[in-house]
Amino acid sequence: VTFTASVGTGTAARVIINPRSLRFTTLGRQEQVTITAVDVYGNQIFAPATLITRNAAVATLEGAPVVRARGNGSTFLVATVQGVSDSIPIVVQQVVAAVGVAPASASILVGDTVRYRATAVDSSGAPVTNAQFTWRTGSAAVATVDATGLVRGTGMGTTTVFAASGGVEASATVTVRATFTATALDAGAFHTCAINQGATYCWGSNATRQFGTDAPTTGTPQRVGAEVTLQLAAGGPGIDSPHPVGQTCARTGNFVLCWGNDIMRQLSGPPGTENCRLSPSYSYPCRTTPATVTPLAPTSVFITSGALHSCSVDSSGAASCWGSNRFGELGTSEPVTTQCTVEGPSGAQAPCSGTPLPVAGGIQFREISAGASFTCALSTSNTAFCWGNNSNGQLGTPTPSTTSPTPVAVTGGTQLTQISSGTSHSCAVRADGRILCWGAGGSGQLGNGSTSNSTTPVQVASSLTFRSVTAGTAHTCAITTGGAAYCWGSNTNGKLGAGPDVSQSSVPIAVAGGFSYSTISAGVDHTCGIATPSNEVLCWGSRNQGQVGGTPTVGAYFTPQRVPPPGSSSPALRASRRP
């Protein structure tokens, strides 16, 4: 018998996926599967198969039949041929291959904290987002760490911080110091504030909530809020105030925040509704909580705070001021109609603005400094302009004789690199390193060998070259290009830092101790600076409010003393120059 046979298309009765399950320990890994379809007799059928994964967040198909792990979890791979299906489980569970800890090292003060963060990756380098970590330190006597990686300094020294996950461990180091260090500082009237690892700390008088807390007046640095601070401006005192009042402003990454005395709306933001009463005759609206200055642009590059007003310069060079305009210190051509009650028992009223107002004249500035009742600034062409009260010649021009509500050019105030305004005088550094000063000079604070006022700039009597200057109430200090500190003017309460045998000096004299400084700032009766290369904060002058660190008490430090760290109840630490 002769016959002819030909292959026909069979019907799938069963579909088989191999392997029967998939398990991944790293993201991005791929595995290939095979799909087989057979008829009722077990004969293989060559028909197209459709593949899907039930959860694409866990696994996807990369050109079937290849499966790629995408995320931790479980799902199924389903293959279908002629309506017949099979499925296998897929499990993705990363296994930690390496752990990292950041920062690699940190330096904190006894009692202060720093947060470490741990990360884990699998063998392909993909982050293990659900990794759990255990933390420990090498020495609890130096630092402790909690379950979230928050390290707290407990004693001086250096130790290791460990983070472990899945049997894999990594480490970093932490150094705990017993002195207070800073990258920037500013001395207010009776308080001082500094930046330590991006955080703001203040000490001294807190009579009008200058710390941004309700802590008592103290010589131990107190942390303010949680914002990362780029620049500080500590202000006060008021023109008529016999009390240790003041306010503080801080420039953060996006905003300017202010807190403290708000009697003339120098904080901007919501009006201070707290009552800081310093005597039966003196009461100040104040605000403990730092609040954003509005509607100030988030592009401020420089801020300053005077007695009762504050100012800012934005990235375009435009200057704005707010607070008291009693003497035209806001520098605005806009009408200021709001009235605030001035300091003292008289109940007198004066114009004020809680809203930042543009400084008139359209001048582009790069730096600004608020005095007690006037303001000076440097333009982008390195020319000095001042406005406000000119009763002591602090505007640097013979005319007008009393006040100027808008900027006037300082006579001969060109080719300047930095400027600082005090209570009633100003000083600026020239490009050649010389210093010019003008205004009140009764205590020798102009540094030209005289104790007379000057309505125009006079040169400080010194052959030294300087890189920065700071003007206080009746004294001035500066840093030479080599880092040495010099001061001149009144030495009441030791604010010149030159020892107790000097009553005043109308020419620069060296600050004792032989330290080098990166920053120096003068208040009413005290001065503080940052020593290099240690970054330790040193202060000298009046101790009555704790503004130089240590226990507030009658008396003074006539030479630089180290400011104690946060959490310390110790007095200021005697500063001696290290070899």
Side-chain angles (χ1 to χ4, degrees):
V1 176
T2 302
F3 62 91
T4 301
S6 61
V7 178
T9 302
T11 301
R14 185 182 174 197
V15 176
I16 305 165
I17 305 173
N18 279 304
R20 298 305 298 159
S21 65
L22 292 174
R23 186 176 185 87
F24 298 90
T25 58
T26 61
L27 300 187
R29 184 178 173 183
Q30 299 181 147
E31 292 286 348
Q32 186 167 347
V33 298
T34 61
I35 312 299
T36 304
V38 296
D39 62 16
V40 293
Y41 303 104
N43 298 310
Q44 185 172 355
I45 295 173
F46 299 94
T50 302
L51 279 76
I52 62 170
T53 60
R54 296 290 191 190
N55 187 345
V58 175
T60 58
L61 291 162
E62 296 289 318
V66 176
V67 179
R68 178 186 290 271
R70 292 295 187 184
N72 291 301
S74 60
T75 187
F76 288 90
L77 172 68
V78 181
T80 303
V81 178
Q82 295 179 346
V84 180
S85 299
D86 186 26
S87 65
I88 62 169
I90 301 172
V91 176
V92 180
Q93 181 59 60
Q94 288 174 279
V95 173
V96 175
V99 171
V101 179
S105 63
S107 180
I108 60 174
L109 305 169
V110 174
D112 210 347
T113 60
V114 61
R115 184 172 298 283
Y116 283 76
R117 302 192 183 278
T119 55
V121 296
D122 61 25
S123 59
S124 69
V128 182
T129 57
N130 61 349
Q132 300 296 311
F133 299 94
T134 57
W135 293 85
R136 66 184 180 91
T137 64
S139 174
V142 176
T144 59
V145 61
D146 68 12
T148 67
L150 185 68
V151 173
R152 181 178 299 276
T154 54
M156 289 187 294
T158 298
T159 189
T160 306
V161 179
F162 298 92
S165 181
V168 182
E169 192 173 68
S171 64
T173 60
V174 60
T175 299
V176 182
R177 309 180 314 278
T179 56
F180 184 58
T181 63
T183 54
L185 64 76
D186 197 38
F190 299 98
H191 74 295
T192 310
C193 294
I195 301 173
N196 173 275
Q197 293 195 345
T200 299
Y201 291 82
C202 296
W203 62 96
S205 170
N206 197 32
T208 51
R209 306 297 187 262
Q210 296 99 303
F211 298 173
T213 71
D214 58 1
T217 289
T218 176
T220 301
Q222 306 291 306
R223 184 165 180 169
V224 180
E227 296 283 345
V228 175
T229 309
L230 302 177
Q231 184 201 348
L232 286 169
I239 307 303
D240 305 313
S241 173
H243 298 293
V245 299
Q247 69 280 339
T248 310
C249 293
R251 182 168 60 87
T252 69
N254 295 310
F255 303 102
V256 173
L257 307 173
C258 294
W259 59 92
N261 180 15
D262 199 30
I263 192 170
M264 296 298 285
R265 299 292 284 114
Q266 62 265 41
L267 304 185
S268 185
T273 56
E274 300 168 59
N275 183 33
C276 290
R277 180 170 290 281
L278 279 72
S279 76
S281 302
Y282 286 84
S283 180
Y284 296 81
C286 58
R287 189 175 70 216
T288 300
T289 305
T292 303
V293 175
T294 54
L296 201 64
T299 55
S300 293
V301 295
F302 203 95
I303 58 171
T304 183
S305 192
L308 298 168
H309 73 294
S310 304
C311 299
S312 167
V313 174
D314 66 26
S315 58
S316 71
S320 301
C321 295
W322 58 96
S324 171
N325 200 41
R326 183 179 177 185
F327 299 94
E329 54 264 56
L330 301 188
T332 181
S333 57
E334 295 186 9
V336 180
T337 57
T338 302
Q339 297 288 309
C340 294
T341 302
V342 302
E343 298 164 293
S346 67
Q349 299 282 297
C352 62
S353 175
T355 301
L357 299 175
V359 173
I363 305 166
Q364 289 185 312
F365 296 105
R366 62 178 181 82
E367 185 177 318
I368 194 164
S369 184
S373 56
F374 70 106
T375 312
C376 292
L378 282 187
S379 72
T380 52
S381 62
N382 300 322
T383 299
F385 291 83
C386 296
W387 56 92
N389 192 353
N390 196 36
S391 59
N392 290 284
Q394 57 264 53
L395 301 189
T397 177
T399 56
S401 60
T402 307
T403 64
S404 176
T406 56
V408 292
V410 173
T411 302
T414 60
Q415 298 181 345
L416 304 177
T417 60
Q418 187 250 325
I419 196 167
S420 177
S421 295
T423 298
S424 297
H425 77 292
S426 292
C427 294
V429 180
R430 287 167 43 102
D432 62 5
R434 306 294 183 181
I435 292 179
L436 301 178
C437 294
W438 58 95
S443 297
Q445 61 264 49
L446 301 186
N448 65 334
S450 168
T451 53
S452 300
N453 295 356
S454 179
T455 59
T456 56
V458 293
Q459 185 169 298
V460 171
S462 175
S463 60
L464 298 167
T465 56
F466 296 90
R467 68 167 184 251
S468 67
V469 66
T470 175
T473 291
H475 77 297
T476 308
C477 294
I479 301 174
T480 68
T481 52
Y486 285 78
C487 296
W488 55 95
S490 169
N491 196 38
T492 302
N493 291 312
K495 53 183 170 277
L496 299 188
D501 299 329
V502 179
S503 60
Q504 72 176 39
S505 176
S506 58
V507 296
I509 54 176
V511 173
F515 290 91
S516 292
Y517 292 86
S518 61
T519 301
I520 197 167
S521 184
V524 170
D525 259 348
H526 77 292
T527 310
C528 292
I530 299 174
T532 57
S534 66
N535 288 333
E536 292 175 301
V537 177
L538 308 178
C539 293
W540 53 95
S542 175
R543 301 175 58 191
N544 65 341
Q545 299 294 325
Q547 60 266 54
V548 291
T551 304
T553 185
V554 175
Y557 290 129
F558 285 86
T559 57
Q561 309 290 314
R562 290 186 173 91
V563 173
S568 169
S569 59
S570 62
L573 306 171
R574 180 171 297 279
S576 58
R577 186 160 119 16
R578 293 174 179 170

